[in-house]
Amino acid sequence: MFVAPDRQSDGIGNQLINKAFAHAEMRGAPIKALITFTFNNVSQGLYIRHGLFPRFPIYMVGVPRDRLAPRLAAPRLRLESLTADAIPYDRLAQIDVSAVGVSREKHHRFLLGDSTTRGFTIHAGNECVGYVYISGGHIGPLAVHRPDLVESAFAAALSFAAQSDCPAISAFVPGASEPALKAAIDHGMRLTFPMLLMSNRPFGDWG
C-alpha cells in the first residue's frame, strides 16, 4: 500500500485498510498479515491501530555471485525440477501448512506459470522435504517441513542459483529462522534491506 506524499495524512491509508479488511472478512480470512519497511514508523503506527502487530524482521540478503562460489560446498540435499505434468500439489500443501499454516496452491500455480522462475522439490534421499523457487539470482519462496533441514536446503538453493549468469544472488530471510540467517551469513551474504512482518496474530512456523 502506498499513498502519494502530498495526500498522506488525509485518511486515505485508513480507508484502504478498511476496504481490504472488509474484503478479508467477506472471504472468511482469519489471518491478516503484511510486510512493511522497518524504517516506516508512520505506517507501522497505522497498522498497529488496525490490530496488526510486529512479529519479527525479514531481511533482504545478497552477495555477488563471484564471492559466493568459493564458499559453496557439495549440497547435502538434492533439487528436482517441478514439471507441469507432475506437480505434487498435495505434498506442497502439506509443507505449506506446516510452515505458514495455509495451503498456497494458487501461489504455486502462479510461480510455475512465470517463465522467468524455476520451481524445485527438495529431497533428502528418497524423501521430499521441501520446495524452492529460483528466479535468476533470487531465491524464494523456500519451505521445508523440518527446521533441522533449513540450513542445508538454503545452501542447496544457493548452489543452484550460483550456476546462473546473474551478477548477484539474493533472498528474503525471516529473522525467526536462525538456521537460514546463519547459512546466509556463512556464505558471505550481507543484510541489504530490513523489513518487518506484522499480523493480527502469530501464525505458521517461520523457523
Side-chain angles (χ1 to χ4, degrees), residues 114-134:
D114 178 4
S115 62
T116 66
T117 302
R118 293 190 62 184
F120 303 87
T121 47
I122 304 171
H123 297 261
N126 294 323
E127 181 187 7
C128 175
V129 297
Y131 67 81
V132 63
Y133 291 90
I134 301 174

Side-chain angles (χ1 to χ4, degrees), residues 79 82 91-93 95-96 99-100 102 104 107-108 111 119-123 128-133 140-145 153:
L79 302 185
L82 283 167
R91 183 64 184 128
L92 298 180
I95 295 166
D96 284 329
V100 293
V102 295
R104 302 181 67 210
H107 299 133
H108 290 291
L111 290 166
F120 303 87
T121 47
I122 304 171
H123 297 261
C128 175
V129 297
Y131 67 81
V132 63
Y133 291 90
L142 179 154
V144 292
H145 72 81

Side-chain angles (χ1 to χ4, degrees), residues 23 47 55 95 106 115 132 158 166 204:
H23 181 72
Y47 300 141
R55 301 301 169 188
I95 295 166
K106 65 181 179 181
S115 62
V132 63
L158 284 171
C166 295

Side-chain angles (χ1 to χ4, degrees), residues 81-89 109 112-113 119:
S81 183
L82 283 167
T83 57
D85 57 347
I87 299 172
Y89 285 114
R109 292 187 184 278
L112 290 167

Side-chain angles (χ1 to χ4, degrees), residues 12-13 15-16 18 23 26 29 54 58 64 79 82 84 105 109 111 123 126 133 135 139 150 155 158 165 187 195 202:
I12 295 173
Q15 293 181 52
L16 290 172
N18 286 334
H23 181 72
M26 180 181 68
I58 294 181
L79 302 185
L82 283 167
E105 182 172 335
R109 292 187 184 278
L111 290 166
H123 297 261
N126 294 323
Y133 291 90
S135 179
I139 297 167
V150 172
L158 284 171
D165 57 1
H187 284 86
M195 305 189 81

Side-chain angles (χ1 to χ4, degrees), residues 4 11 31 38 55 66 86 112 116-117 124 141 150 154 164 190 200:
I31 299 169
T38 54
R55 301 301 169 188
D66 57 357
L112 290 167
T116 66
T117 302
V150 172
F154 191 68
S164 73
R190 294 185 176 180
N200 65 322

